[in-house]
């Protein structure tokens, strides 16, 4: 996913967005339920007991996922501790990203810099409002600003395997050129590290480079 959109999906076999970004928790729970079904004979010799145990396990998933997701998002924003406004602060940022076609990966990485981002998209008043709220929340941390920055930089990669880059690598490899693959693999081995080689791979795709559909095995 480049620009943040919770409805994003790429699979060629997904006709209705079943595997969209926003549906990932539901699909994960569904997959776990199928796994539990396969393991029922190993859970208990009595099928009814096995089903009850399995259902109790599956029912815990939603709460566990929400806690893990919130913890991850706090780390991405350098938030320490648990404050009542955290969920809304995170939601507001994601809504802003969606409404303004902001790049998911680059937005979080830009926020991980020691200075306020100055690119044109960040001059929008709605972002300025959100940024002020974020600064207020950071003041409630029991850790230093430098520690928050380190947390963010360790949680927000510079490089992800963007679809248009993967497509470029595959096309080159099918024509016998593996240099693109080796170069790509080198930066992916250290996705949080900034160096001269990483910059080209940080860029979102141009409109002509966008990949709208992927296939099993790619």
């Amino acid at each position: 996913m480049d620009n943040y959109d919770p409805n994003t999906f790429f699979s060629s076999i997904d006709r209705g967005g079943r595997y969209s970004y926003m549906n990932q928790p539901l699909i994960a729970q569904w997959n776990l339920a199928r796994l539990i079904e396969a393991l029922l004979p190993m859970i208990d010799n009595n099928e009814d007991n096995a089903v009850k145990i399995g259902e109790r396990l599956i029912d815990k998933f939603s709460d566990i996922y929400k806690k893990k997701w919130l913890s991850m998002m706090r780390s991405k924003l350098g938030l320490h501790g648990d404050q009542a406004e955290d969920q809304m602060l995170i939601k507001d940022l994601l809504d802003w990203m969606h409404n303004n076609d902001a790049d998911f990966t680059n937005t979080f990485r830009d926020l991980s810099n020691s200075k306020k981002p100055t690119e044109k998209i960040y001059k929008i008043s709605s972002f300025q409002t959100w940024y002020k709220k974020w600064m207020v929340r950071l003041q409630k941390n029991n850790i230093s600003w430098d520690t928050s920055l380190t947390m963010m930089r360790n949680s927000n990669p510079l490089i992800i395997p963007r679809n248009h880059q993967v497509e470029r690598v595959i096309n080159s490899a099918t024509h016998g050129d593996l240099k693109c693959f080796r170069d790509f693999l080198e930066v992916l081995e250290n996705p949080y590290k900034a160096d001269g080689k990483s910059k080209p791979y940080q860029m979102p795709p141009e409109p002509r480079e966008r990949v709208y559909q992927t296939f099993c095995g790619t």
Side-chain angles (χ1 to χ4, degrees):
M1 183 169 61
D2 299 300
N3 295 352
Y4 175 71
D5 183 348
N7 296 305
T8 296
F9 66 93
F10 296 100
S11 175
S12 62
I13 63 172
D14 190 352
R15 302 296 182 183
R18 172 181 170 86
Y19 297 99
S20 65
Y21 181 81
M22 69 177 180
N23 284 338
Q24 289 299 299
L26 296 175
I27 289 300
Q29 187 173 28
W30 185 87
N31 285 334
L32 287 173
R34 304 292 77 76
L35 176 61
I36 289 290
E37 287 176 357
L39 296 176
L40 286 178
M42 302 175 65
I43 294 174
D44 196 289
N45 291 329
N46 183 292
E47 184 176 351
D48 289 339
N49 288 341
V51 169
K52 290 177 182 178
I53 294 171
E55 287 177 344
R56 286 199 298 269
L57 291 172
I58 294 300
D59 287 344
K60 294 179 180 179
F61 175 84
S62 181
D63 287 341
I64 293 173
Y65 176 87
K66 288 176 182 177
K67 289 177 182 178
K68 293 290 186 180
W69 182 86
L70 187 56
S71 175
M72 176 191 72
M73 296 303 289
R74 283 193 176 110
S75 294
K76 291 176 77 65
L77 289 174
L79 306 180
H80 184 261
D82 184 354
Q83 297 293 331
E85 67 266 33
D86 289 353
Q87 291 192 53
M88 186 55 66
L89 186 70
I90 294 165
K91 180 182 182 301
D92 286 348
L93 176 61
L94 293 175
D95 287 346
W96 175 84
M97 291 166 65
H98 186 201
N99 293 333
N100 293 280
D101 293 326
D103 187 87
F104 184 84
T105 301
N106 289 346
T107 297
F108 281 108
R109 192 65 194 197
D110 288 343
L111 291 172
S112 304
N113 294 324
S114 57
K115 296 182 180 179
K116 185 177 181 179
T118 58
E119 287 81 356
K120 183 178 179 180
I121 192 171
Y122 299 122
K123 297 184 185 299
I124 298 172
S125 60
S126 53
F127 176 80
Q128 297 291 327
T129 299
W130 178 86
Y131 191 88
K132 290 177 182 177
K133 292 179 181 178
W134 181 47
M135 289 290 104
V136 171
R137 169 59 181 88
L138 287 172
Q139 295 299 316
K140 298 180 181 180
N141 279 352
N142 292 320
I143 56 176
S144 68
W145 172 233
D146 286 342
T147 302
S148 287
L149 284 175
T150 299
M151 182 194 306
M152 294 170 68
R153 289 168 183 166
N154 289 336
S155 303
N156 296 314
L158 277 162
I159 309 298
I160 60 170
R162 295 179 184 269
N163 282 333
H164 72 292
Q165 295 287 3
V166 173
E167 189 79 9
R168 184 175 66 87
V169 167
I170 291 174
N171 287 337
S172 296
T174 55
H175 288 88
D177 180 6
L178 293 178
K179 185 179 185 304
C180 287
F181 168 73
R182 295 191 182 99
D183 290 346
F184 195 31
L185 184 61
E186 183 179 352
V187 296
L188 287 175
E189 287 175 342
N190 294 287
Y192 298 90
K193 180 182 178 182
D195 58 33
K197 297 179 181 179
S198 63
K199 190 65 176 178
Y201 298 96
Q202 291 176 246
M203 304 303 293
E206 297 291 337
R208 61 181 175 79
E209 296 177 310
R210 288 188 180 276
V211 176
Y212 295 98
Q213 195 174 61
T214 59
F215 303 87
C216 294
T218 57

